[in-house]
């Protein structure tokens, strides 16, 4: 089992802030893998705001697709790596018509090998209404399967709501 942490919650629940605080408390060299893409001006503004909020004490890696490769390239003792977020990564994989199952399996296989302290953020999307179209349902299903895989392999799992953490595992 990996010593990593998975943090789940809804949009604007406080997941990223909670994850950042875990990394800061570790005292390790801080790395941030951002999986989001700036598809429009509003998303570009969100990304810029996240960077500004983190400040200069983080090394940021923007990687929308090759998450495992980016983790491997930046892994090492004395480092903490925050991945934000898995659901944006799932979206990118789907949009690029990648083999989602193979990508998920590669990530799950990598987690126990990591030397760095990994903190992984993702949006819980399975608590709402059933999506009206196939792509949205496929996305929800992929995210749910990925969350189950990662939760099984990490030491700690938190669910964040209204900025409050609920420890689910560990």
């Amino acid at each position: 089992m990996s010593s990593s942490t998975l943090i789940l919650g809804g949009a604007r629940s406080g997941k990223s802030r909670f994850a950042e605080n875990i990394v800061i408390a570790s005292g390790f060299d801080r790395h941030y893998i951002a999986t989001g893409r700036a598809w429009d001006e509003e998303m570009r503004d969100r990304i810029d705001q996240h960077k500004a909020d983190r400040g200069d004490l983080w090394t940021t890696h923007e990687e929308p697709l090759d998450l495992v490769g980016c983790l491997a390239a930046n892994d090492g003792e004395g480092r903490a790596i925050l991945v934000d977020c898995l659901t944006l990564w799932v979206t990118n994989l789907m949009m690029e018509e990648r083999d989602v199952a193979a990508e998920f399996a590669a990530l799950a296989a990598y987690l126990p090998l990591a030397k760095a302290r990994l903190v992984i953020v993702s949006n819980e999307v399975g608590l709402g209404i059933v999506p009206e179209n196939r792509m949205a349902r496929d996305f929800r299903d992929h995210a749910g399967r990925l969350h189950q895989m990662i939760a099984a392999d990490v030491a700690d799992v938190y669910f964040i709501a209204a900025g409050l953490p609920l420890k689910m595992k560990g």
Side-chain angles (χ1 to χ4, degrees), residues 49-96:
Q49 186 61 53
H50 269 280
K51 287 179 185 176
D53 290 347
R54 282 193 308 274
D56 295 334
L57 298 176
W58 293 77
T59 302
T60 299
H61 311 275
E62 295 183 7
E63 182 49 63
L65 294 169
D66 187 14
L67 180 55
V68 175
C70 191
L71 283 167
N74 293 288
D75 197 4
E77 298 287 336
R79 288 189 174 180
I81 302 174
L82 193 163
V83 176
D84 200 353
C85 82
L86 290 183
T87 44
L88 288 173
W89 180 58
V90 171
T91 298
N92 296 334
L93 294 175
M94 289 178 69
M95 296 301 288
E96 296 290 329

